[in-house]
Amino acid sequence: MAYNVVKFGGSNLKNPSGIKRILKSIICYEKPLIVVVSAFFGVTNNLLNAIKLCCRTEFDIESFIDEIKQQKLDSVKNIVSNPFLLDEFLENLNQRLSELYKLLSMVKQNKTSELHLYDLILSYGERLSSLVLVYALKDIKYECYEAFPEDIGLITDGEFKNATVNFELSRELLNTNLSEEKTYIIPGFYGVSQNGCINLLGRGGSDYSAAAIAACLNAQSLDLWKDVKGFLSADPNIIPDAVSIQSLTYAEAAELAYFGSKILHPRTPEPLIEKQIPIRILNINDLSTDIDPLTIINTKEVYAHNVIKSVSYNHNFGILKLVGSGVGIKPGILAKTTSEIDKAGINIKSVITSQTAINILLSQDDLMRAKRIVQELNIQGINSINICDDISLVAAVGEGLTSRHGIAGRLFSAVAQKGINVRIICFGASNVAMYFIVHKNDCNETIRAIHSEFFVPQEYLV
Ligand code: ASP
Ligand code: MG
């Protein structure tokens, strides 16, 4: 029997009732089973903040640690009734928190956050979650074992903060070190480099950890438990009657995640495609005795009636615009600028060029730094370098977008009818996604226009 790999995120780990729901869903699964957990809701951000505050003398590590301790104790006291287990939990919790205390003290003393300390400290959010879950399960007499990525061999490429899993090495080690007879609780979000350093897998990366583990073990599925109704046709804060999407391809899911849908880390599908392991999205709030996924992501191409399955947006993109009368035709300008930006460790999200302008799409946080880099290059032919950070990127996703005619026309007429000005359009780079840029203030109206054009309820019934 192949493994089930199941992941619970921070939104499931907010309070004792969330943990109880996790227990209820774990017992629905057949074995062999692997459970991957994120940090409790907000804890990664708190740890990040603590690292930043360490450089201030007034920052009191002890009270920071006490707060975390109280949060975990409050949860566990509500769940674990066996006093021996509670004592054992407390002992382990103290041990883990004293390790965290030492690490934060090291940052405080050096007044720097060396990269290896940064990654190690942030991994404690997940390590505390796995500890809580193990004791909560033990209390209901569910046998399970905590397994750290560094002990079982989830090996990375060695990059700090945003590592990639080394599948060749990890596959061999995980299959040797894990036994199908046991249920493991594994902290997500990090792996270990070949020389033993803890490496984070990027923000939101425990989806990717779980996917990597599922791929290495050739699991039957990867189940991601969320507190929303699966992938939706749009953000329900903008479209209250957005509908759940039952089926997505890996490519559709990756594009939606890349362009802003928060439900999945964009790298999650990557390891699973080759073995065609499905990702199933489930809602912890409508837990029955069955495992009933809302969205299934696999290779099956299901065409939506109107092609577009979902529309997402991202406010975090910005444009670095290089203007000059011949930038499009002069050789080398694009290569020179993008390679220098890349060398500085800045991720280029997209590049759209014309004869007179090169538009480089970046994360807003990187705009100023990228501008300085290009200014210093002093390239002949670039007359001005502008930054545009008042934009939103809107993406429409669906299999068939590039092959079915008339979809783009219909979409942009719907947007134009609302008097919205579309600044840049990118169509054709991916077979399943098309994206464009509007002013930030127009974003919600754009989403509403597209949604009402493509998601007419009667057509849904067809
Ligand atoms: N706790 C980590 C984060 O907040 C990883 C995750 O939640 O997936 O980024
Ligand atoms: Mg997450």
Side-chain angles (χ1 to χ4, degrees):
M1 185 85 171
Y3 278 97
N4 282 297
V5 176
V6 178
K7 184 241 157 184
F8 297 94
S11 58
N12 307 137
L13 285 152
K14 277 185 186 158
N15 46 37
S17 61
I19 298 169
K20 281 181 191 152
R21 278 197 287 267
I22 292 182
L23 301 182
K24 230 170 134 186
S25 80
I26 288 179
I27 57 176
C28 294
Y29 282 92
E30 286 184 21
K31 292 173 188 176
L33 176 65
I34 303 266
V35 178
V36 177
V37 278
S38 297
F40 271 50
F41 186 75
V43 167
T44 307
N45 285 342
N46 293 345
L47 289 168
L48 245 170
N49 215 17
I51 295 177
K52 282 191 199 133
L53 292 173
C54 269
C55 60
R56 297 202 191 149
T57 31
E58 72 273 15
F59 179 62
D60 181 11
I61 302 179
E62 216 162 302
S63 39
F64 172 73
I65 298 276
D66 276 349
E67 254 174 61
I68 301 188
K69 182 168 172 177
Q70 210 44 55
Q71 182 201 38
K72 302 296 178 252
L73 271 181
D74 288 346
S75 307
V76 170
K77 274 188 185 151
N78 255 291
I79 294 167
V80 176
S81 50
N82 178 333
F84 297 106
L85 284 177
L86 256 180
D87 279 353
E88 210 180 284
F89 169 76
L90 192 60
E91 210 176 291
N92 280 303
L93 179 66
N94 284 336
Q95 165 69 28
R96 232 160 262 194
L97 289 175
S98 83
E99 290 162 13
L100 180 59
Y101 181 89
K102 277 190 204 132
L103 294 169
L104 286 169
S105 308
M106 280 158 81
V107 176
K108 192 163 178 155
Q109 277 150 22
N110 296 332
K111 306 233 182 296
T112 67
S113 60
E114 280 175 50
L115 283 174
H116 81 274
L117 281 180
Y118 178 100
D119 282 30
L120 188 52
I121 289 171
L122 287 198
S123 74
Y124 273 79
E126 272 63 17
R127 291 170 197 267
L128 292 168
S129 290
S130 53
L131 184 67
V132 168
L133 195 55
V134 164
Y135 279 89
L137 284 164
K138 281 188 178 174
D139 194 64
I140 56 166
K141 302 203 165 34
Y142 186 100
E143 200 177 79
C144 63
Y145 299 85
E146 191 181 24
F148 290 142
E150 62 270 43
D151 296 335
I152 55 174
L154 185 65
I155 308 295
T156 65
D157 62 355
E159 188 177 328
F160 287 106
K161 288 190 178 177
N162 201 13
T164 296
V165 170
N166 178 325
F167 286 94
E168 216 173 301
L169 294 177
S170 304
R171 184 166 295 125
E172 203 181 315
L173 287 166
L174 292 182
N175 281 292
T176 315
N177 292 330
L178 297 175
S179 150
E180 288 184 15
E181 314 298 316
K182 295 179 178 170
T183 296
Y184 296 96
I185 313 298
I186 301 178
F189 190 32
Y190 75 91
V192 63
S193 69
Q194 284 187 70
N195 49 22
C197 286
I198 296 303
N199 293 149
L200 299 178
L201 301 170
R203 284 310 303 268
S206 34
D207 287 345
Y208 177 57
S209 324
I213 293 169
C216 290
L217 297 175
N218 209 357
Q220 51 178 305
S221 69
L222 166 64
D223 283 6
L224 303 178
W225 286 84
K226 306 278 167 184
D227 63 348
V228 289
K229 296 189 167 118
F231 260 101
L232 293 173
S233 54
D235 179 347
N237 294 316
I238 303 174
I239 311 287
D241 55 355
V243 290
S244 305
I245 314 165
Q246 286 168 11
S247 172
L248 286 170
T249 56
Y250 294 112
E252 287 173 325
E255 297 287 2
L256 282 171
Y258 184 64
F259 288 118
S261 168
K262 308 243 168 5
I263 194 162
L264 187 79
H265 187 279
R267 296 193 73 181
T268 316
E270 206 180 288
L272 304 169
I273 296 172
E274 192 192 322
K275 298 262 169 60
Q276 299 199 12
I277 299 167
I279 304 170
R280 309 190 303 174
I281 314 271
L282 302 105
N283 185 2
I284 198 116
N285 298 323
D286 32 78
L287 186 64
S288 60
T289 44
D290 283 347
I291 293 162
D292 189 13
L294 287 152
T295 304
I296 299 182
I297 302 162
N298 54 21
T299 46
K300 208 161 110 201
E301 290 182 14
V302 177
Y303 286 73
H305 177 77
N306 278 330
V307 175
I308 291 175
K309 284 189 187 160
S310 181
V311 49
S312 66
Y313 64 94
N314 197 322
H315 295 316
N316 190 30
F317 282 62
I319 307 172
L320 181 70
K321 192 171 185 137
L322 317 179
V323 185
S325 53
V327 288
I329 204 162
K330 282 189 193 126
I333 296 186
L334 182 62
K336 214 181 216 165
T337 47
T338 50
S339 74
E340 287 305 311
I341 292 173
D342 179 59
K343 270 191 220 151
I346 296 174
N347 182 25
I348 296 174
K349 309 231 181 225
S350 189
V351 179
I352 303 165
T353 63
S354 76
Q355 168 67 324
T356 57
I358 296 176
N359 294 281
I360 304 176
L361 285 189
L362 303 169
S363 158
Q364 288 205 359
D365 308 334
D366 294 328
L367 279 177
M368 283 312 288
R369 203 152 59 93
K371 182 177 177 183
R372 255 177 268 126
I373 292 168
V374 182
Q375 269 167 340
E376 276 162 24
L377 289 174
N378 218 347
I379 296 174
Q380 275 222 326
I382 297 181
N383 301 335
S384 68
I385 304 171
N386 308 319
I387 271 179
C388 211
D389 58 4
D390 55 357
I391 56 158
S392 297
L393 192 138
V394 177
V397 171
E399 285 290 341
L401 250 181
T402 46
S403 52
R404 182 92 68 87
H405 89 114
I407 301 297
R410 203 171 147 189
L411 187 146
F412 290 115
S413 332
V415 175
Q417 268 168 25
K418 300 282 172 195
I420 296 166
N421 181 29
V422 173
R423 298 200 188 170
I424 292 180
I425 301 170
C426 184
F427 185 43
S430 148
N431 282 338
V432 301
M434 135 170 110
Y435 62 89
F436 57 95
I437 286 164
V438 294
H439 191 281
K440 217 171 229 156
N441 298 343
D442 291 329
C443 179
N444 290 5
E445 196 54 34
T446 306
I447 304 278
R448 280 193 279 269
I450 299 173
H451 203 271
S452 55
E453 174 64 32
F454 289 94
F455 297 88
V456 187
Q458 306 86 289
E459 295 189 10
Y460 253 88
L461 301 174
V462 177

